[in-house]
Amino acid sequence: MAAVAENLPAAAEDQEPQCEAVPGLENQRRQIENGESGRDRPLRAGESWFLVEQHWYKQWEVYVQGGDQDSSTFPGCINNAKLFEDQVNWCLKKGLVEGEDYVLLPAAAWHYLVSWYGLEHGQPPIERKVVELRGFCKVEVYPVELLLVQHSDMGTRYTAEFSQTDSIDLVSCIAREQFLVSPQEETRLWVEKAQGSFERLCNTRVTLFDAALKSGQLIIMETRSKDGTWPSAQTHAVNRASKEDEDFQGQPGICGLTNLGNTCFMNSALQCLSNVPQLTEYFLKNRYLEELNFCNPLGMKGEIAEAYADLVKQAWSGRHRSIVPQVFKTKVGHFASQFLGYQQHDSQELLSFLLDGLHEDLNRVKKKEYVELCDAAGRPDQEVAQEAWQNHKRRNDSVIVDTFHGLFKSTLVCPDCGNVSVTFDPFCYLSVPLPVSHKRVMEVFFVSMDPRRKPEQHRLVVPKKGKISDLCVALAKHTGVSPERMMVADVFSHRFYKIYQLEESLSSILDRDDIFIYEVSGRSAICENSREDVVLPIYLRERTPARDYNNSYYGLMLFGHPLLVSVPRDRLSWDSLYHILLYRLSRYVTRPSSDDEDDGDEKADLEDKDSIPKPGHVARGSSQDPGPEQAGPSSRVAGGSRAPVDNSPGPSHWPQRARRKHLFTLQTVNSNGTSDRSNFNEDTHAQPYIAIDWEPEMKKRYYDEVEAEGYVKHDCVGYVLKKAPVRLQECIELFTTMETLEKENPWYCPSCKQHQLATKKLDLWKLPETLIIHLKRFSYTKFSREKLDTLVEFPIRDLDFSEFVIKPQNESAPELYKYDLIAVSNHYGGLRDGHYTTFACNKDSGQWHYFDDNSVSPVTENQIESKAAYVLFYQRQDVARRLQPQPSLSDPPAPPACGPPPNSEVMDLN
């Protein structure tokens, strides 16, 4: 406690002894030196001891030991003048040492001496308290002198003395009294450290000793501004904005949050939480200050709670159109590294972190005890649930638990021995699944063997867990081409990224992949007399001058769409292949006229006797290596995989010319489209990839790029897989449906003594005041990720949970199971990008608003329900009624909670 040099009332045992005759000298010595009142007794924390000047006390000792009351050694009145700096302020000298400058006497001994000898006129007694520090008691001779100053007036300083055992709270109280700060105003303290730096005194419940405060340190008291900000936290930009808007007065809570760069997810979560009435009132009325837990090893030293409180006070001051949550963002990134930087995140993930952080920062349990979780073991549910909730509250007790925590009943059944395990577990929000369609829409391009037909774009409906063969069957219904005459490939960067087998799963194909399905010759049994067709992957390449000093080197660059072409094995010669490919490209490649005939270009002439080499051989043509081409993995087409059923008109029907100028040359390449044959498989069944190499002039003259890129849309492209809307109650039913555990997450059965794929069922037992429902729109599997844009129909009012709560219900209080909507976090867009916004109902006006970062605008209730709804906040009806202010007889009727007030006209803050 604060001490200025004055007499403080002594304890009962320290009271001044009754006036009596002065005892003999020996009795005086015994009373002062020994016994319960003597200076040799042990110190006790909290009691008062007094300083006596060493010289006077030694003189008194000589006097009493001499035994002669008339001796000249009589010490006279107690005189402590040598212990003071001056005789005006009576300040104790610095550096006094016990045993050299003074002795210490307990209160009773001091009062005896004063009654026997008196105290020098005008001198104050030097009383000091006994303090206990780290288990040891000591007399605090020198109190801690602190210099108190206000942040708004750094020139006026006040000096006050405190004990090391006084709390920081007492320093704050003394400062508030000195500077006339009203109890309604919120303050905080700073201490000046070395080199002019300042540090917050966050925990006001610790002592000066624990806070390591020393005499002479400067303590600054800062008072929160009316707009909810702290003067020391305002940047220059904020100051300028505040001056421009210092006269602004709006509806409390109608305040936007600036997007700091992909922080819309954070803004959305904060706006939802800010519009939970009881939580916001808890912060606005400063009840959180008494419950800040600075010692919780699971918490954030109160910093998250304080940062959130600052945001709430600013948003609900009514003096801001929007605020910048930079400090809060920094705090979140400091304690949760996944939110560092400015990448897009999930609003529900941030909400989960924030609720947990606020809970631990405000946990009323300072030291968590060990609690053993017990199974039901056949006991009644009511008993087990009550025990589980009490155990939870023994370790977790905060405003977050009071507001958001409920209780599950979890039932696990072993499939082998039938052992049933029942536990009750707390929850903070419900993550409910959406009914998932078992169908999937895939877009593909169909490439016919008929060169006159352009590629067709198709939109196919296939099973989500289907195979490549299912994709071919679906396409066959549109084209009339047998699925056995189809090959499916993923085309990327003008090459085959992958050629699929019919038994592969469709889950390996992503929605963004470019899937081409090629018609090839039909399949037949392989026998001695049957002829085989070989399916050759064909790439298109163009020679381009490389950047060389003499321009003598030519590179090869891929272009256009690759092809899969069926070629009879008995026609595998370069000349035959040239004519087959010329025919397949005839829609966009013009054949040379008779004027273009070449009479002597032997280099481009391919003889019929030259057959296509086996893998590892080089085709006649350019011997140059291709230029810089991006590599990519690909499958190879094995020889003999297709049979020769190709009745389309081929090169054998064309009029043959002895010599004709060739438009392009052919060359075997690897799956990447390069001439590097180090990757070729020496297996005789592996077919080579063939590249069609064009000279730039020939390509420009004979190749029609516009026609080559052309395609047509099948009627099915306009088809949209209609998703019927689902009710929120269906999602909750799905959440409480029995399921079998997955292989990755088995349950250890204590009866079987092994892990089992048990059946699991979750039921709702106890519901919280504010229920958060997270719609699981994002689906992640090993091969695919998707967002479900199903419309979920959710009620604005009267969401009834009575049919889902299995705890015996109170029939006389139906409002305990009915909820009204108060906020919605929305997500627009897909998996890789998107935007978060919020619908929220203002607790004071009952008006709904749309929060889009720093933009806020009023909305009606029929605008709230949409496919973007992601996280729903519901408030129990009995809580809403409890929080409503009771109007006086003269007040007009209040608007309904979370509904549009009559004839409401709200300013559009856009």
Side-chain angles (χ1 to χ4, degrees):
M1 72 190 279
V4 285
E6 58 185 5
N7 262 327
L8 297 178
E13 66 180 40
D14 294 338
Q15 291 296 318
E16 187 174 344
Q18 298 293 329
C19 292
E20 58 184 22
V22 177
L25 297 182
E26 180 60 26
N27 288 336
Q28 288 185 36
R29 188 186 65 80
R30 281 198 299 268
Q31 290 184 34
I32 300 303
E33 297 285 350
N34 306 317
E36 181 60 29
S37 63
R39 61 186 293 245
D40 291 337
R41 74 171 181 80
L43 301 173
R44 300 187 184 97
E47 65 183 5
S48 294
W49 284 58
F50 290 80
L51 276 69
V52 177
E53 197 269 328
Q54 174 81 7
H55 177 75
W56 185 93
Y57 188 78
K58 288 297 181 184
Q59 184 70 23
W60 173 81
E61 283 185 327
V62 172
Y63 173 66
V64 296
Q65 288 172 3
D68 184 3
Q69 293 187 356
D70 299 327
S71 170
S72 60
T73 58
F74 181 73
C77 292
I78 301 173
N79 188 352
N80 289 332
K82 293 182 179 179
L83 301 181
F84 294 110
E85 290 278 3
D86 56 63
Q87 297 187 11
V88 177
N89 297 317
W90 302 103
C91 293
L92 204 63
K93 287 182 179 179
K94 302 299 182 183
L96 297 179
V97 179
E98 183 182 3
E100 295 181 8
D101 302 301
Y102 64 88
V103 294
L104 290 168
L105 297 178
W110 164 260
H111 291 307
Y112 281 134
L113 287 178
V114 171
S115 67
W116 299 335
Y117 298 93
L119 181 62
E120 190 71 28
H121 180 70
Q123 283 189 11
I126 309 175
E127 181 182 3
R128 294 295 183 262
K129 289 292 184 181
V130 177
V131 297
E132 183 177 356
L133 300 174
R134 295 179 179 174
F136 296 96
C137 290
K138 59 174 285 189
V139 177
E140 191 175 35
V141 176
Y142 290 100
V144 180
E145 292 186 355
L146 299 178
L147 303 178
L148 306 182
V149 66
Q150 258 188 318
H151 184 272
S152 58
D153 182 13
M154 298 290 286
T156 304
R157 298 187 177 189
Y158 167 70
T159 303
E161 291 184 348
F162 300 90
S163 168
Q164 286 183 299
T165 57
D166 289 337
S167 68
I168 303 297
D169 230 350
L170 180 62
V171 178
S172 178
C173 290
I174 297 297
R176 295 175 74 100
E177 291 175 4
Q178 179 64 28
F179 301 125
L180 304 178
V181 178
S182 67
Q184 290 75 29
E185 293 185 273
E186 186 180 351
T187 61
R188 62 183 184 180
L189 299 180
W190 298 79
V191 58
E192 185 178 24
K193 295 292 186 178
Q195 299 177 348
S197 61
F198 294 89
E199 182 180 301
R200 271 278 315 282
L201 295 173
C202 300
N203 190 355
T204 60
R205 294 187 286 273
V206 300
T207 64
L208 272 68
F209 178 79
D210 293 329
L213 295 185
K214 307 296 181 184
S215 289
Q217 283 190 293
L218 183 67
I219 304 297
I220 302 173
M221 188 181 70
E222 183 182 17
T223 306
R224 190 188 289 273
S225 305
K226 292 182 179 180
D227 64 356
T229 61
W230 293 104
S232 62
Q234 292 179 345
T235 62
H236 295 297
V238 174
N239 282 329
R240 287 196 298 269
S242 298
K243 290 176 182 177
E244 293 174 3
D245 300 333
E246 60 185 5
D247 296 329
F248 174 77
Q249 186 64 51
Q251 171 72 43
I254 311 304
C255 177
L257 295 172
T258 300
N259 192 322
L260 305 174
N262 285 328
T263 58
C264 56
F265 73 97
M266 181 183 77
N267 294 347
S268 178
L270 288 173
Q271 294 288 14
C272 287
L273 211 55
S274 172
N275 282 278
V276 176
Q278 60 268 49
L279 183 64
T280 295
E281 287 296 317
Y282 171 84
F283 282 99
L284 291 179
K285 293 181 178 178
N286 291 334
R287 293 201 293 269
Y288 75 100
L289 294 174
E290 297 299 321
E291 298 182 348
L292 284 170
N293 191 334
F294 300 98
C295 306
N296 188 352
L298 301 179
M300 288 82 175
K301 300 179 181 179
E303 294 184 34
I304 287 293
E306 288 187 325
Y308 178 74
D310 287 347
L311 275 182
V312 169
K313 288 174 183 291
Q314 293 176 50
W316 288 86
S317 68
R319 295 174 178 268
H320 299 282
R321 289 184 171 87
S322 66
I323 55 180
V324 182
Q326 182 65 62
V327 175
F328 181 83
K329 169 71 172 63
T330 303
K331 293 289 184 186
V332 169
H334 175 72
F335 290 105
S337 58
Q338 67 268 31
F339 297 115
L340 275 173
Y342 295 93
Q343 300 298 318
Q344 183 65 276
H345 293 280
D346 191 311
S347 68
Q348 188 271 333
E349 290 179 1
L350 177 80
L351 187 65
S352 175
F353 161 78
L354 184 54
L355 288 172
D356 185 63
L358 289 174
H359 160 64
E360 296 296 354
D361 272 1
L362 300 168
N363 199 343
R364 303 176 187 115
V365 180
K366 306 306 178 187
K367 187 176 181 180
K368 295 189 177 185
E369 56 182 305
Y370 173 75
V371 176
E372 186 174 356
L373 300 178
C374 299
D375 195 83
R379 292 180 294 164
D381 284 351
Q382 191 84 20
E383 177 186 339
V384 181
Q386 184 176 0
E387 178 187 84
W389 185 250
Q390 289 176 348
N391 288 341
H392 178 60
K393 292 278 285 187
R394 284 163 63 188
R395 292 175 54 86
N396 304 278
D397 185 15
S398 70
V399 66
I400 302 300
V401 175
D402 299 341
T403 307
F404 298 103
H405 282 207
L407 204 62
F408 282 139
K409 178 186 177 183
S410 175
T411 306
L412 288 161
V413 181
C414 178
D416 286 354
C417 67
N419 178 43
V420 179
S421 171
V422 176
T423 57
F424 288 82
D425 306 303
F427 67 89
C428 190
Y429 51 84
L430 299 181
S431 288
V432 299
L434 273 63
V436 179
S437 171
H438 298 293
K439 298 293 183 180
R440 175 184 177 187
V441 176
M442 297 183 64
E443 289 189 358
V444 301
F445 289 91
F446 173 67
V447 182
S448 171
M449 290 181 64
D450 185 351
R452 295 167 296 183
R453 294 177 57 184
K454 293 182 178 181
E456 287 181 343
Q457 183 183 18
H458 290 256
R459 182 170 289 175
L460 308 175
V461 180
V462 294
K464 252 185 185 175
K465 297 183 178 180
K467 299 179 179 179
I468 298 296
S469 57
D470 295 315
L471 188 65
C472 296
V473 169
L475 182 61
K477 296 177 181 178
H478 294 180
T479 62
V481 177
S482 170
E484 295 186 350
R485 298 181 58 188
M486 295 179 185
M487 291 191 71
V488 182
D490 181 356
V491 175
F492 176 73
S493 190
H494 313 294
R495 57 172 61 86
F496 291 116
Y497 182 80
K498 182 174 183 180
I499 299 177
Y500 293 94
Q501 302 299 320
L502 294 177
E503 296 304 313
E504 289 189 67
S505 173
L506 287 175
S507 61
S508 60
I509 299 179
L510 304 180
D511 290 338
R512 63 174 182 267
D513 293 341
D514 292 324
I515 301 301
F516 283 71
I517 300 182
Y518 297 86
E519 180 187 6
V520 294
S521 56
R523 186 193 301 266
S524 66
I526 300 177
C527 59
E528 294 181 1
N529 298 326
S530 68
R531 62 188 184 114
E532 256 179 66
D533 275 12
V534 178
V535 179
L536 294 179
I538 307 297
Y539 291 155
L540 299 173
R541 305 193 300 182
E542 178 183 6
R543 296 183 184 278
T544 57
R547 295 177 179 177
D548 202 336
Y549 291 108
N550 54 12
N551 288 329
S552 61
Y553 178 84
Y554 286 82
L556 290 163
M557 300 296 294
L558 291 169
F559 72 94
H561 299 299
L563 294 171
L564 290 176
V565 177
S566 301
V567 179
R569 185 173 286 278
D570 58 3
R571 296 181 60 187
L572 277 181
S573 66
W574 288 110
D575 190 59
S576 296
L577 180 60
Y578 173 83
H579 290 292
I580 290 174
L581 294 177
L582 192 61
Y583 169 72
R584 285 297 300 267
L585 304 176
S586 59
R587 181 173 56 84
Y588 46 90
V589 173
T590 306
R591 297 188 65 204
S593 63
S594 58
D595 296 335
D596 295 328
E597 290 184 8
D598 183 13
D599 294 330
D601 189 358
E602 296 294 338
K603 292 190 218 176
D605 193 12
L606 296 174
E607 300 178 7
D608 287 344
K609 63 182 180 180
D610 292 336
S611 62
I612 295 179
K614 292 181 180 179
H617 291 77
V618 183
R620 191 185 330 171
S622 172
S623 61
Q624 305 290 344
D625 289 333
E629 295 143 342
Q630 184 178 355
S634 176
S635 300
R636 226 170 239 100
V637 183
S641 62
R642 302 290 179 181
V645 184
D646 187 359
N647 300 321
S648 60
S652 60
H653 297 85
W654 301 343
Q656 300 295 320
R657 298 262 183 181
R659 283 197 181 110
R660 183 175 295 277
K661 184 173 183 178
H662 287 280
L663 305 183
F664 47 79
T665 58
L666 304 177
Q667 180 169 319
T668 54
V669 293
N670 60 16
S671 60
N672 294 328
T674 67
S675 299
D676 177 14
R677 281 168 294 281
S678 61
N679 294 329
F680 279 162
N681 190 340
E682 295 300 330
D683 184 359
T684 56
H685 290 287
Q687 301 299 327
Y689 285 64
I690 305 297
I692 299 176
D693 293 341
W694 288 84
E695 296 291 344
E697 287 299 323
M698 298 294 283
K699 177 174 176 285
K700 183 178 180 181
R701 185 174 180 183
Y702 296 105
Y703 187 91
D704 188 344
E705 291 193 23
V706 175
E707 183 65 24
E709 295 294 327
Y711 68 94
V712 294
K713 292 185 178 182
H714 190 269
D715 293 341
C716 64
V717 173
Y719 173 81
V720 177
L721 185 61
K722 293 184 178 179
K723 297 181 181 179
V726 299
R727 295 167 57 246
L728 179 60
Q729 288 85 342
E730 295 177 50
C731 301
I732 300 171
E733 287 176 4
L734 198 58
F735 174 79
T736 57
T737 301
M738 183 181 295
E739 62 178 358
T740 303
L741 298 179
E742 297 178 349
K743 293 181 180 179
E744 295 79 11
N745 186 31
W747 170 64
Y748 182 78
C749 177
S751 178
C752 298
K753 305 296 183 183
Q754 59 183 351
H755 289 88
Q756 300 284 1
L757 300 182
T759 59
K760 181 179 181 180
K761 189 176 190 307
L762 291 176
D763 292 294
L764 300 176
W765 181 267
K766 170 184 169 61
L767 294 178
E769 293 183 354
T770 299
L771 179 62
I772 302 175
I773 302 177
H774 165 225
L775 304 177
K776 297 172 70 173
R777 290 194 177 276
F778 298 103
S779 172
Y780 299 95
T781 64
K782 184 178 180 181
F783 294 104
S784 65
R785 301 186 306 164
E786 63 175 330
K787 180 191 174 184
L788 306 176
D789 59 353
T790 307
L791 175 64
V792 178
E793 297 175 340
F794 50 88
I796 304 297
R797 294 184 184 81
D798 297 327
L799 174 61
D800 192 352
F801 270 88
S802 57
E803 61 178 301
F804 300 109
V805 177
I806 63 171
K807 179 181 179 180
Q809 300 180 14
N810 184 358
E811 301 293 341
S812 62
E815 68 273 8
L816 294 176
Y817 310 99
K818 289 187 177 182
Y819 286 79
D820 295 333
L821 187 71
I822 57 173
V824 181
S825 176
N826 305 301
H827 178 267
Y828 301 91
L831 285 169
R832 289 178 289 178
D833 53 8
H835 183 59
Y836 288 91
T837 64
T838 300
F839 289 112
C841 177
N842 186 274
K843 68 180 182 66
D844 296 334
S845 67
Q847 169 70 43
W848 281 90
H849 287 82
Y850 181 64
F851 297 83
D852 185 358
D853 290 333
N854 59 351
S855 170
V856 185
S857 55
V859 293
T860 58
E861 289 185 0
N862 58 9
Q863 295 176 264
I864 297 171
E865 186 179 279
S866 72
K867 293 181 178 180
Y870 182 43
V871 184
L872 310 175
F873 284 68
Y874 278 94
Q875 186 175 60
R876 211 167 61 203
Q877 289 184 351
D878 68 309
V879 177
R881 293 192 182 95
R882 186 186 73 208
L883 294 174
Q884 280 183 357
Q886 298 299 324
S888 62
L889 296 177
S890 59
D891 292 336
C898 299
N903 300 323
S904 61
E905 295 182 3
V906 184
M907 179 185 298
D908 186 349
L909 296 183
N910 272 329

